[in-house]
Amino acid sequence: MITEKRIQVKQPCLIWLLGIIQLKESKWLLGILRFAFAVNISMVLTGGSGTVVLAQTQNKKPVKTLDGEQLYVINCTRCHTERYPTERTAAQWKTIMMHMQVRANLPPDQVKKVLEFLKENNKS
Amino acid sequence: MEKLMKRMVFTVVILSLAGLCCVPKSWAVTDDEFLALQKQVQEQNKQLQVLEKEHQEDQAEIQSLKEQQGQTKQKTEEIKKTADQAVEVASKVQPVSAALKQPAENHNFVLAGDAEVKYVKTGGANKAHGTFQMADFAPVFLFRANDKVLFEAGFDTTIANGNAGTGGNNTTFNLTFAQIDYLFNDYLTVIGGKMILPLGTYNERSAGWLNKIADDPLPRSLLIGQGVGVQLRGSRPIGNSGQMITYSAYTTNGAGSIDETTGNATTVSGAHTINNFDPGGNVTNMHRRPSEGGRIGWFYPWKPHYDVELGLSGQTGAWDKAGKELWTAGVIDAAVHISPYFETKGEYIYTREGTADFGTVEPRGWWIQSGFKLSAFNWDVPLVPSTELVFRYDTIDNPINPIIGSAQKSYRYTPGIVYYITNTLWLEGSYEKIYYSGGAQSADQWLVQLSYGF
């Protein structure tokens, strides 16, 4: 899906600028006039909304959620060395993870994923 | 034509008769073979009868089992009905929350904890011969009542010798924490009991066997480690990258005064001067008002093994029996992990203590500790891949040191090494050099500790 980036542009006073040009022709005034003219045209094209489409960008890629193993690495090796899933039974890991949820202030959904990872890999 | 037809028919008949007479001998069946075949057929008939009988018996057994299953199902339904009626009756007397209706197999008891043994050799101002200074066993008991309730308690059983060269030792048994945790919802846990306080992160996450240097940072002695009270804590994820905000707020009895006054120092045994501020011993009263505190933290991992955490915590409350003088503390903590091999963490600690004899004093300090695992180099040599180099700098600034009665600043450098015998059995060694302001002689010591976490 393509999204549009829009900015609000204030329309310069073309009549005043045209008057200036009549009196004294110079390159920079001509540049401003050209810019104002372009803006005016775009406003006409956009129905007077005063917005200019600057860019069209791709939507950001869907955000990946972290799996149990990644969360285990992120949270469980910050304070202590790696504890192997085979060190405890599934029921013991459930109790220990409850303790770690409190002690390390971990979100419950992350705890759940880490627990599933430990259970899948404890082979008991 | 008629003659031809007759001739053809005659020829066919003659040929047929000839064919019948030319049957090969092998096609003939002897009497013995016939009897053998007959006997085989009879035996097969007998076997078939046996199989038919067994089939009928199996069918009868299946029918019997089906009847038993039906009876069992009926009994189960009757028992369930009876149990439901009993629960209904009980709930009318004493409402039972849904959390406690779960079956008994949720209950789980786990023993965890750590143990250490430490050797120390001091030099400089405190020079003495080496000694096995301390042995410690710190079990942690966890009991999961159900998916929402956890009971946990930790003890510290320590035998510690006096300073090398002096006599005496003492065995202490401390209740480090004992609390009930109730996971109220995804964002809030309610805790009650004796709690490790979230002033900084050191006490909760770096103490005991988790500390890679065998003693605590100097300024940690300015803080209260535990308190009896209640706490609300939790976390809120930000996005799906593992980023989160953590928060905790608590109220406890707070710090205490050893002699119940607000004097900065006190004496024990009539002569020995010690700090009158008691950060852990006097937890039995609120001194007219409870102490309040809390911590807010932010954790951001940009990928596994790469993260940063910042935290701000504090506590304030009265510390004397009369409840007249306040003790206040503030801690800024930070930790960074860059790759699986490098970490740095530290705390800045500020305290403010109202005293009767020295007015308001502001002891403060800070520490920083880094570790680098040599496995980063992938050297194929013995021992090195399981080794980590550590270094800590810590300092404490006490405007009025209660023991000496004047200002003192100390700063200490500690290089060390950790050898990971296993993931939970560590051998730690470090050398500490401590300097004092005011011209006092510096001191140093060697520390070697074997730590095991279970």
Side-chain angles (χ1 to χ4, degrees):
Chain A
M1 198 169 99
I2 306 294
T3 58
E4 294 180 338
K5 225 176 191 179
R6 294 173 181 267
I7 61 166
Q8 199 79 17
V9 175
K10 289 186 180 176
Q11 186 177 8
C13 180
L14 288 177
I15 297 175
W16 184 78
L17 285 170
L18 281 170
I20 295 286
I21 293 295
Q22 294 291 331
L23 292 171
K24 185 178 179 181
E25 195 172 333
S26 70
K27 283 186 179 175
W28 68 270
L29 278 175
L30 190 60
I32 292 174
L33 181 64
R34 283 174 178 164
F35 172 73
F37 178 75
V39 166
N40 197 41
I41 289 293
S42 69
M43 285 185 66
V44 169
L45 292 174
T46 57
S49 63
T51 59
V52 174
V53 176
L54 277 189
Q56 289 184 335
T57 55
Q58 291 279 351
N59 258 2
K60 290 181 184 176
K61 291 179 185 175
V63 175
K64 278 187 180 177
T65 54
L66 297 169
D67 62 22
E69 186 175 2
Q70 290 172 312
L71 288 167
Y72 167 82
V73 171
I74 286 171
N75 288 314
C76 305
T77 57
R78 274 196 277 156
C79 305
H80 54 72
T81 47
E82 180 185 5
R83 301 304 297 263
Y84 305 127
T86 50
E87 290 181 32
R88 299 281 189 176
T89 65
Q92 289 173 333
W93 278 127
K94 188 171 181 181
T95 303
I96 291 170
M97 285 309 300
M98 207 167 165
H99 163 71
M100 293 314 307
Q101 179 178 338
V102 175
R103 179 60 66 90
N105 252 346
L106 300 176
D109 61 333
Q110 292 188 14
V111 170
K112 190 177 172 185
K113 287 182 183 177
V114 171
L115 183 58
E116 282 169 11
F117 165 74
L118 291 169
K119 282 180 176 178
E120 284 166 10
N121 291 277
N122 78 339
K123 294 174 186 170
S124 67
Chain B
M1 188 66 177
E2 193 176 324
K3 216 175 183 179
L4 180 64
M5 287 299 292
K6 281 183 183 175
R7 197 175 283 177
M8 282 176 70
V9 168
F10 180 73
T11 306
V12 168
V13 169
I14 294 298
L15 286 174
S16 300
L17 287 171
L20 284 172
C21 293
C22 292
V23 172
K25 282 188 182 174
S26 61
W27 288 12
V29 176
T30 64
D31 287 342
D32 290 336
E33 288 172 343
F34 177 77
L35 289 172
L37 187 62
Q38 187 181 40
K39 188 178 177 185
Q40 190 179 1
V41 168
Q42 286 170 351
E43 284 173 0
Q44 285 179 349
N45 280 340
K46 282 182 189 172
Q47 285 177 2
L48 189 61
Q49 284 169 6
V50 168
L51 285 172
E52 276 184 10
K53 189 179 175 185
E54 285 177 357
H55 175 68
Q56 283 170 2
E57 287 172 359
D58 289 340
Q59 288 294 319
E61 192 176 343
I62 288 170
Q63 184 61 30
S64 171
L65 286 171
K66 279 185 179 175
E67 285 170 8
Q68 284 179 20
Q69 185 187 24
Q71 288 169 2
T72 305
K73 191 177 174 183
Q74 193 179 357
K75 278 185 186 171
T76 305
E77 285 172 3
E78 286 171 5
I79 291 169
K80 187 175 179 302
K81 192 177 171 185
T82 307
D84 287 342
Q85 287 171 351
V87 168
E88 193 181 338
V89 169
S91 66
K92 285 176 185 172
V93 176
Q94 202 171 14
V96 177
S97 76
L100 299 178
K101 282 184 181 173
Q102 292 170 13
E105 55 262 26
N106 272 337
H107 296 200
N108 190 267
F109 178 77
V110 172
L111 176 64
D114 59 88
E116 293 91 32
V117 59
K118 183 160 66 177
Y119 170 87
V120 174
K121 186 177 187 324
T122 56
N126 302 320
K127 186 173 181 180
H129 49 75
T131 177
F132 287 98
Q133 191 195 53
M134 182 269 287
D136 177 71
F137 173 62
V140 173
F141 299 94
L142 307 174
F143 179 71
R144 174 169 55 92
N146 52 58
D147 287 350
K148 283 194 170 287
V149 179
L150 178 75
F151 300 94
E152 47 181 328
F155 302 85
D156 236 319
T157 310
T158 307
I159 178 166
N161 294 321
N163 289 335
T166 64
N169 61 75
N170 58 303
T171 301
T172 57
F173 182 80
N174 286 325
L175 177 66
T176 315
F177 64 95
Q179 61 190 61
I180 302 171
D181 308 327
Y182 177 59
L183 278 59
F184 183 74
N185 62 28
D186 285 356
Y187 307 108
L188 189 66
T189 298
V190 181
I191 299 170
K194 186 174 184 183
M195 314 170 290
I196 296 176
L197 299 179
L199 285 172
T201 58
Y202 182 80
N203 269 8
E204 287 187 315
R205 306 189 208 161
S206 302
W209 76 288
L210 298 174
N211 189 9
K212 297 175 182 177
I213 294 176
D215 58 5
D216 299 333
L218 289 171
R220 289 301 306 188
S221 62
L222 300 174
L223 294 175
I224 304 169
Q226 305 93 28
V228 179
V230 294
Q231 181 179 168
L232 306 175
R233 63 192 283 149
S235 59
R236 194 165 188 101
I238 302 172
N240 295 315
S241 63
Q243 185 181 180
M244 59 181 158
I245 297 286
T246 61
Y247 40 84
S248 58
Y250 60 88
T251 181
T252 65
N253 285 342
S257 162
I258 292 177
D259 64 11
E260 299 184 346
T261 70
T262 52
N264 189 243
T266 190
T267 54
V268 291
S269 304
H272 189 47
T273 302
I274 60 171
N275 189 345
N276 194 27
F277 177 77
D278 183 0
N282 186 359
V283 293
T284 57
N285 72 84
M286 292 185 186
H287 320 297
R288 294 190 178 183
R289 52 168 287 191
S291 291
E292 302 96 18
R295 178 180 182 270
I296 186 160
W298 170 69
F299 174 69
Y300 177 67
W302 56 96
K303 58 180 175 178
H305 292 300
Y306 292 77
D307 56 71
V308 60
E309 181 177 10
L310 298 173
L312 179 65
S313 51
Q315 178 176 328
T316 186
W319 68 286
D320 65 311
K321 185 180 179 183
K324 289 184 179 176
E325 299 288 355
L326 286 182
W327 178 84
T328 302
V331 183
I332 300 172
D333 62 81
V336 174
H337 292 87
I338 300 175
S339 82
Y341 314 109
F342 177 76
E343 68 166 11
T344 293
K345 54 189 173 186
E347 295 174 335
Y348 175 78
I349 297 167
Y350 168 83
T351 66
R352 187 182 171 91
E353 179 185 329
T355 68
D357 43 3
F358 290 105
T360 300
V361 294
E362 297 175 332
R364 66 187 81 94
W366 61 278
W367 64 274
I368 185 168
Q369 180 173 313
S370 295
F372 180 70
K373 292 187 169 77
L374 296 180
S375 53
F377 296 126
N378 277 324
W379 290 334
D380 188 17
V381 293
L383 305 181
V384 169
S386 299
T387 301
E388 180 175 1
L389 303 177
V390 293
F391 179 82
R392 182 182 66 195
Y393 173 80
D394 48 354
T395 177
I396 185 169
D397 186 356
N398 211 331
I400 302 291
N401 185 313
I403 298 171
I404 63 175
S406 60
Q408 187 181 54
K409 184 173 179 179
S410 314
Y411 46 103
R412 182 171 65 177
Y413 302 88
T414 308
I417 192 167
V418 179
Y419 177 68
Y420 297 96
I421 302 169
T422 71
N423 63 323
T424 56
L425 183 61
W426 304 357
L427 181 63
E428 304 159 25
S430 59
Y431 172 75
E432 302 183 339
K433 183 77 177 180
I434 184 166
Y435 299 91
Y436 301 99
S437 63
Q441 188 183 0
S442 63
D444 60 83
Q445 64 178 1
W446 291 92
L447 294 147
V448 179
Q449 177 169 284
L450 187 64
S451 305
Y452 179 64
F454 54 90

